[in-house]
Amino acid sequence: MLLKILTFIFSIYLLALIFLIIFQRNFLYFPTENNYLTSEKINNENLEFYITNDEGHKLKSWFYYNERNKFTILFFHGNAGQLENRIYKLNSFKDIGLNYLIFSYRGFNSSDGSPTEKGIYSDAESAYLWLLSKGIPENNIIFYGESLGTGVGVEMAINNDSAGLILESPFTSITELGKKKFPVFPISLILKDRFDNESKFPMLSTPFLIMHGEKDRIVPQDMSFRLIQIKEPSITYFPENDNHMMEFDENLKFKITQFIQQLK
């Protein structure tokens, strides 16, 4: 009887494991989830267009540029939602004198293709090259990573020249987050997309700012503390009351402005 019970439990576990292996990216990427939409409208100077990546995928993109602004933010969004979810951040960049380019990863915002770690890195490179093609110097580009996008930002920063890097709610690795969410499964063995910030952090040479809210229940703030033990940032911002998507209030905008001033 005990053997039958154990066999049944093992069969269920094995089926769940196979399901997780096959559909794991459905637990990582949520293109249609829009938890942070607000009523705020994007500024009137925002240009909408499509960047074509090296595989021919068309990536919906927004661009704002004022020649009086020195720096341009290249924004890497998180694992959920659309460009519209970041309107309040983009308007804030404009308000504090920053240009920006934000683009949708493949499979997001009606962009064709399906997201993978390697594919998203390729999309980011395409956006970076687009900026360079418009005559924006490498040392005037600031990489900005939000949540999952911090993995993209770190990857870009260690492989490309830039003025600096801003990380909002960064994690050590998707592997570690996966272990927290699915502790009974061998995540280290089956995970396809790892976004391993922790192993790449020693290679960072650009100035960077880390921001992380204490009340983040998706990515523990402790992960940021571990990252800054590996490499010391130029500036940190750890507000007590912010959650995973941080409040773009005057305090946060001041920290970004302070960081920008150090780059000039």
Side-chain angles (χ1 to χ4, degrees):
M1 183 65 180
L2 179 60
L3 181 59
K4 289 183 179 180
I5 294 174
L6 292 175
T7 301
F8 176 77
I9 293 173
F10 178 75
S11 298
I12 295 298
Y13 174 84
L14 189 59
L15 287 172
L17 178 60
I18 293 171
F19 180 86
L20 185 60
I21 291 172
I22 295 173
F23 296 104
Q24 59 180 271
R25 288 188 171 122
N26 294 77
F27 295 95
L28 180 57
Y29 306 111
F30 304 93
T32 60
E33 190 172 298
N34 291 296
N35 289 339
Y36 300 100
L37 279 175
T38 69
S39 59
E40 186 173 346
K41 303 297 183 183
I42 192 66
N43 66 82
N44 292 329
E45 297 172 74
N46 183 73
L47 172 68
E48 181 173 307
F49 69 106
Y50 287 82
I51 292 174
T52 302
N53 67 13
D54 59 356
E55 297 177 36
H57 299 304
K58 296 185 181 300
L59 313 175
K60 183 176 178 180
S61 306
W62 287 353
F63 182 54
Y64 163 75
Y65 184 78
N66 183 328
E67 63 182 9
R68 291 175 294 182
N69 298 336
K70 178 177 181 180
F71 293 109
T72 297
I73 295 285
L74 178 51
F75 193 99
F76 309 121
H77 64 74
N79 69 333
Q82 307 177 30
L83 301 187
E84 287 77 6
N85 294 78
R86 284 85 192 177
I87 285 176
Y88 66 100
K89 298 183 180 183
L90 303 178
N91 286 340
S92 292
F93 295 150
K94 178 178 181 293
D95 292 342
I96 62 176
L98 293 170
N99 304 320
Y100 64 76
L101 171 64
I102 183 173
F103 65 97
S104 296
Y105 307 141
R106 60 187 68 194
F108 284 75
N109 241 129
S110 301
S111 299
D112 49 347
S114 298
T116 66
E117 180 179 8
K118 182 179 179 180
I120 289 173
Y121 292 159
S122 175
D123 296 342
E125 287 286 349
S126 296
Y128 179 70
L129 291 174
W130 186 89
L131 283 177
L132 297 182
S133 75
K134 298 304 175 184
I136 298 175
E138 297 166 337
N139 59 359
N140 285 2
I141 297 173
I142 298 171
F143 298 135
Y144 187 115
E146 162 205 276
S147 188
L148 181 83
T150 64
V152 187
V154 170
E155 175 73 12
M156 290 293 291
I158 65 174
N159 289 296
N160 298 278
D161 292 330
S162 66
L165 170 67
I166 300 175
L167 301 175
E168 178 189 348
S169 306
F171 51 87
T172 50
S173 70
I174 294 298
T175 305
E176 185 169 357
L177 284 174
K179 288 178 179 179
K180 291 179 180 294
K181 188 170 184 178
F182 303 104
V184 299
F185 295 112
I187 297 299
S188 297
L189 297 177
I190 67 173
L191 193 63
K192 297 175 182 177
D193 298 345
R194 298 174 182 267
F195 294 95
D196 193 348
N197 286 338
E198 192 167 31
S199 69
K200 298 173 184 176
F201 236 63
M203 293 180 275
L204 276 179
S205 59
T206 189
F208 66 98
L209 159 65
I210 282 190
M211 311 185 296
H212 206 145
E214 185 176 325
K215 292 187 176 179
D216 192 336
R217 298 296 177 262
I218 297 176
V219 177
Q221 190 188 55
D222 177 66
M223 289 192 169
S224 279
F225 295 154
R226 286 170 52 186
L227 291 175
I228 65 176
Q229 289 175 357
I230 299 171
K231 180 78 72 169
E232 184 178 0
S234 304
I235 297 178
T236 60
Y237 178 56
F238 297 125
E240 293 181 2
N241 297 316
D242 282 26
N243 207 312
H244 186 59
M245 288 292 103
M246 301 181 69
E247 295 292 331
F248 259 63
D249 55 20
E250 294 305 314
N251 293 325
L252 184 145
K253 287 189 282 187
F254 173 77
K255 284 293 181 179
I256 293 179
T257 302
Q258 186 181 28
F259 177 65
I260 298 301
Q261 290 297 326
Q262 291 188 5
L263 303 179
K264 291 183 177 180

